[in-house]
Amino acid sequence: MSKLKLYQNEHLDKLRLQADDLADASVADLVLDPEACKFINSLSTLPQNQDWTHLPRTVQKYFQSFALQAEFADKQKIIMAQDYFSKEGHYYLSMLGFYSLPYCYAFGDGAEVLVRSKRITDEVGKRLSETALFLLDSFRPDTFLSDDRGLLSIAKVRLIHAFSRYFILKYTKDWKEEWGKPINQEDLLGTNLAFSLVVMRGLEKLNRFPGKETYEAILHYWKLIAYYLGIDVNYWPENAKEAFELEKSIRIRHIRSSEAGQKLIRSLLNFYQDDIPDKNLSQLVESLVSFFLGREVSDTLGVKQKVNLPKDAVSLLLRFNFWKEGSSKMSYQKIRSQFIQRQKDKFEEVIQLSVPIVKRS
């Protein structure tokens, strides 16, 4: 049955008022229990029953939900998506930074959440690395099959979302009801589309679109990620047509110029320009982002394509300057090792996904 009828204002309006009851209940207890947060951050795999008896019951219930396998999981599509990421993950991660995140900043109400996290504007590099690590962990081979390390990262990110909701609703005085709940179901759907459909669009701009079968395997993969992120997968598209229509509906509803979006995109562009040692390349960053965003979203964010970049030039720029691909074949381990080395070089540490620990006075 087609899901197109769900992508109407009446349904999407309701999603803006819905968050994630399971994760929110857990965080209500975790803010009072810093030792439980430290325990979660110390994990390398999902905790088993015998490991969580000291945790609040809400948190035990939360982790129990990750032991339930999604009934709709398609092993063949899972393997296809993971194999694709192992070969093209370096381009996938490039789309994350130069397309997916800027695209998200153009959605005014959702940008209001992001800009209230000072880490996003003041520690752009680390925040970007955390998002890339989430993708790397989620696409780790055998995730959703026999390796639960990727699931642990998804579980942490879901709790981080709930912590953000908690802090905004409790401490932010200027939050407006018309924006919906912070990190609501519609915004979560939009973000997942930015990390799937939008990535595929970016690759198509580079003449690297993998084909409909692989694209729909990627959509299926993100349905699984959505399921464990606490997103209502009844709304998640099953095919390219539904993905196109859902993204279009959300874009029409929410794309608008905002002070929050402008601040976010300027912070990101300034980071790129400072981070790239070759100044000839750093001056191309805004044009590169605009190349992917297209005119409508670029205008919304005030991003200018100062230099006309042909597709082939963009592909070479990404390949030889942002990833040390050379002529050798890429693999998941090679992509991950390059990523880790960059974190060590940049931050003198390896970035980790961690839930906040609230200091009790």
Side-chain angles (χ1 to χ4, degrees):
M1 181 184 299
S2 173
K3 296 186 177 182
L4 297 179
K5 66 180 184 300
L6 295 176
Y7 306 152
Q8 306 296 323
N9 286 336
E10 60 179 306
H11 299 297
L12 297 177
D13 285 343
K14 291 178 181 177
L15 292 182
R16 297 207 67 72
L17 303 178
Q18 298 172 18
D20 180 353
D21 292 343
L22 187 62
D24 290 340
S26 297
V27 164
D29 287 330
L30 286 172
V31 294
L32 304 173
D33 194 342
E35 292 304 315
C37 294
K38 291 178 183 177
F39 170 75
I40 292 171
N41 289 337
S42 74
L43 295 170
S44 57
T45 60
L46 283 172
Q48 304 302 313
N49 289 25
Q50 65 271 19
D51 298 329
W52 63 40
T53 54
H54 63 291
L55 296 175
R57 291 194 63 81
T58 53
V59 183
Q60 293 182 36
K61 183 178 179 182
Y62 176 77
F63 280 112
Q64 284 172 342
S65 71
F66 284 83
L68 301 175
Q69 187 172 21
E71 294 181 356
F72 59 82
D74 184 319
K75 183 177 180 180
Q76 183 177 352
K77 290 182 178 179
I78 291 170
I79 294 173
M80 184 182 298
Q82 291 173 352
D83 286 348
Y84 172 74
F85 189 88
S86 292
K87 297 170 185 174
E88 296 286 310
H90 52 315
Y91 280 102
Y92 205 115
L93 292 173
S94 294
M95 293 303 98
L96 168 73
F98 293 114
Y99 194 179
S100 300
L101 291 179
Y103 166 92
C104 290
Y105 298 162
F107 293 79
D109 293 349
E112 297 294 345
V113 175
L114 297 173
V115 80
R116 280 164 173 76
S117 170
K118 287 190 175 182
R119 291 197 62 234
I120 294 179
T121 53
D122 297 348
E123 296 183 312
V124 181
K126 287 188 176 181
R127 186 65 185 89
L128 184 62
S129 294
E130 288 169 356
T131 307
L133 178 59
F134 164 64
L135 254 74
L136 275 167
D137 286 352
S138 296
F139 277 95
R140 185 189 290 272
D142 291 325
T143 295
F144 305 128
L145 298 173
S146 60
D147 189 331
D148 68 4
R149 287 176 292 177
L151 273 176
L152 175 62
S153 292
I154 294 171
K156 287 181 179 179
V157 167
R158 184 174 172 184
L159 288 175
I160 291 169
H161 289 164
F163 269 103
S164 295
R165 274 192 297 272
Y166 176 88
F167 291 135
I168 287 174
L169 293 175
K170 188 171 180 66
Y171 297 110
T172 300
K173 304 302 182 184
D174 61 348
W175 186 260
K176 297 180 182 179
E177 287 189 10
E178 65 244 38
W179 295 336
K181 285 194 175 182
I183 315 181
N184 58 66
Q185 287 287 318
E186 184 185 21
D187 285 346
L188 286 166
L189 283 168
T191 301
N192 265 30
L193 286 170
F195 290 175
S196 53
L197 173 147
V198 169
V199 168
M200 293 295 108
R201 283 183 180 169
L203 294 171
E204 189 169 17
K205 289 173 183 279
L206 299 178
N207 294 325
R208 299 188 73 91
F209 182 70
K212 184 179 179 182
E213 185 179 19
T214 299
Y215 171 33
E216 294 193 344
I218 293 289
L219 285 177
H220 180 78
Y221 203 84
W222 278 96
K223 182 180 180 181
L224 280 162
I225 295 174
Y227 174 81
Y228 289 107
L229 278 178
I231 301 174
D232 187 348
V233 295
N234 289 316
Y235 288 84
W236 185 252
E238 301 295 337
N239 52 55
K241 169 65 174 175
E242 291 177 355
F244 174 88
E245 293 298 337
L246 178 58
E247 185 277 336
K248 179 182 176 182
S249 296
I250 294 176
R251 175 161 39 86
I252 289 171
R253 283 166 56 83
H254 293 293
I255 188 170
R256 65 175 173 84
S257 181
S258 68
E259 184 178 341
Q262 299 278 343
K263 185 174 182 179
L264 290 163
I265 192 63
R266 284 301 140 193
S267 293
L268 183 66
L269 292 176
N270 289 340
F271 166 74
Y272 286 146
Q273 288 165 355
D274 292 341
D275 186 59
I276 299 170
D278 186 331
K279 293 307 172 185
N280 292 319
L281 292 176
S282 68
Q283 297 305 312
L284 296 176
V285 166
E286 185 166 350
S287 296
L288 184 63
V289 170
S290 181
F291 168 86
F292 288 114
L293 290 178
R295 179 172 295 178
E296 179 187 20
V297 180
S298 290
D299 288 348
T300 299
L301 291 171
V303 176
K304 306 295 184 184
Q305 189 163 5
K306 300 174 182 178
V307 179
N308 185 26
L309 296 172
K311 290 183 179 183
D312 290 345
V314 173
S315 186
L316 288 171
L317 190 66
L318 295 175
R319 179 176 177 181
F320 291 108
N321 294 289
F322 297 106
W323 292 95
K324 298 179 178 66
E325 180 183 357
S327 60
S328 60
K329 291 184 179 180
M330 297 300 284
S331 66
Y332 179 86
Q333 288 304 325
K334 185 174 182 180
I335 295 167
R336 192 178 187 93
S337 65
Q338 284 190 19
F339 171 81
I340 290 173
Q341 187 59 52
R342 285 189 176 196
Q343 307 322 302
K344 291 178 179 178
D345 294 343
K346 191 182 304 296
F347 307 116
E348 297 183 351
E349 63 177 339
V350 178
I351 297 298
Q352 303 290 334
L353 292 172
S354 301
V355 301
I357 298 173
V358 180
K359 295 180 180 179
R360 311 304 302 171
S361 57

